[in-house]
Amino acid sequence: MSNPPPPSLPSSLQHQPPYITTPTTLITTSTNREYCKGNWTIQETLTLITAKRLDDERRTKPSTSSPSKPGELRWKWVENYCWDHGCFRSQNQCNDKWDNLLRDYKKVRQYKSSHTQSSDQFPSYWSMERHQRKLHNLPTNMSPEVFEALNDVLQRKYHTHQQQQKQQQQEQPPQQQQQQSTGSIHQQKLNQPSIFQSTEQVTARKDQQAPETEAPITVSESDSSETESSENLDSETKRKKVRKIGSSIMRSASVLAKTLKSCEEKKDKRHQEVMKLEQRRLEIEETRNEVNRKGITDLVAAMTNLSGVIQTLISKRYDQK
């Protein structure tokens, strides 16, 4: 089944595509190139489409005047062509841009086919605004020149593919007829008895040919037994695989359970150690507070005793006077 050809453009857009009709011979240099970045202009896009068309023609119909190098990359040739014609893009940029162009072209072509079937429900793509195209999930920046150039390239590619298929179909039937005719003549020669053969030899040959018709039955039985044995082997191998998978799952589950259990035990142990350290800290803080309280009480007692001694000394001195 071959894909249908791309649709033809309406009469309002049918005009000669702005291809660049310069020779395809390129001079590739190994100098360092500074490639452009950002959005593609319409002229750069048309140069890329022209380079792709010429590359397809170069590959389908190679010319002797400009032979391609044996190790030359496909998109490197396109890059060199674009570079020589003012489109300073790399081969990766050209490849990505071509993929995007084909994707946008397919979307617009599908929409145009639906528009031709029911023109009342769907407005024309070329009459829609940018936001309307975005609402219909269509490319917003497809221009008529680019669409026409892509349509022309794909139509050329489709027609060349159809011509190649027709040539292959025209070349194949004579060979097949010759093979069939030679095979039938050879079989007739084998089946026809020669003049020098006797009737006994002919009957013997017929008797020998009779059991040969029964051979496919035995072969089919052996084939059925082989298929049954192969099915049994397949089922056994499947069972073994299922058992291996089940055992590996059980093993991994047990390992996972052990690791989880060890993690829980370590967590409990760590928690107990933390609780012990916290209890030890509280005990140390209580002893320190107790020592502070005892020191304060001893200091107060000493101060009271000192004040009592001072008062007794003062009273004794007054008494002596």
Side-chain angles (χ1 to χ4, degrees), residues 24-273:
T24 59
T25 305
L26 300 178
I27 301 171
T28 58
T29 58
S30 60
T31 57
N32 295 324
R33 295 178 172 178
E34 294 182 359
Y35 301 107
C36 294
K37 295 180 182 179
N39 296 327
W40 287 60
T41 61
I42 295 177
Q43 186 61 35
E44 288 178 341
T45 307
L46 294 174
T47 305
L48 172 63
I49 295 170
T50 306
K52 191 68 176 59
R53 179 177 64 84
L54 295 174
D55 182 65
D56 291 338
E57 292 177 356
R58 183 179 65 95
R59 290 180 177 275
T60 54
K61 297 178 182 179
S63 60
T64 57
S65 60
S66 60
S68 61
K69 295 180 181 179
E72 188 177 18
L73 296 174
R74 182 176 185 178
W75 289 102
K76 188 64 179 176
W77 191 94
V78 175
E79 176 192 338
N80 292 329
Y81 182 91
C82 293
W83 187 268
D84 290 344
H85 292 84
C87 179
F88 306 111
R89 302 284 182 170
S90 65
Q91 55 181 343
N92 294 328
Q93 288 177 333
C94 293
N95 192 0
D96 295 339
K97 182 63 176 177
W98 182 254
D99 293 338
N100 295 331
L101 286 173
L102 289 180
R103 186 186 62 219
D104 295 344
Y105 171 79
K106 288 177 182 178
K107 288 182 179 180
V108 175
R109 188 185 67 182
Q110 290 176 359
Y111 181 80
K112 284 174 73 66
S113 62
S114 62
H115 172 260
T116 54
Q117 291 176 2
S118 58
S119 59
D120 296 333
Q121 296 179 1
F122 299 97
S124 175
Y125 175 79
W126 310 112
S127 63
M128 284 194 296
E129 297 292 335
R130 191 181 181 87
H131 65 279
Q132 292 177 344
R133 295 177 180 178
K134 197 171 183 180
L135 287 174
H136 288 85
N137 196 14
L138 294 171
T140 57
N141 56 352
M142 175 66 76
S143 63
E145 294 84 2
V146 174
F147 183 84
E148 183 181 356
L150 285 170
N151 191 30
D152 187 68
V153 170
L154 294 176
Q155 280 183 353
R156 287 171 183 268
K157 194 172 183 180
Y158 176 77
H159 289 313
T160 53
H161 183 67
Q162 290 291 332
Q163 290 176 0
Q164 288 176 359
Q165 284 186 350
K166 286 179 181 179
Q167 290 177 0
Q168 290 176 1
Q169 289 176 1
Q170 289 175 0
E171 291 174 358
Q172 285 178 359
Q175 296 177 358
Q176 291 178 357
Q177 289 177 2
Q178 187 177 2
Q179 290 176 359
Q180 289 177 0
S181 62
T182 53
S184 62
I185 291 167
H186 184 67
Q187 189 173 3
Q188 287 176 3
K189 286 181 180 180
L190 289 174
N191 292 330
Q192 277 184 354
S194 63
I195 299 170
F196 300 101
Q197 286 179 346
S198 61
T199 56
E200 293 179 356
Q201 290 177 353
V202 173
T203 54
R205 183 180 288 177
K206 289 181 179 179
D207 293 334
Q208 288 177 359
Q209 287 177 357
E212 288 179 358
T213 57
E214 297 178 357
I217 298 172
T218 57
V219 171
S220 64
E221 289 177 357
S222 62
D223 290 338
S224 62
S225 62
E226 286 178 358
T227 53
E228 288 177 358
S229 61
S230 63
E231 286 178 358
N232 292 328
L233 288 172
D234 292 336
S235 62
E236 287 178 1
T237 52
K238 285 179 181 179
R239 287 172 187 168
K240 287 180 181 179
K241 286 181 180 179
V242 169
R243 287 173 186 169
K244 286 181 181 179
I245 291 169
S247 62
S248 62
I249 289 170
M250 292 294 291
R251 201 178 298 113
S252 60
S254 63
V255 170
L256 184 61
K258 286 180 182 178
T259 52
L260 289 173
K261 188 176 180 181
S262 63
C263 287
E264 290 292 332
E265 288 177 354
K266 287 179 181 179
K267 194 182 289 184
D268 292 336
K269 189 175 180 181
R270 195 179 298 111
H271 182 67
Q272 289 177 2
E273 289 177 354

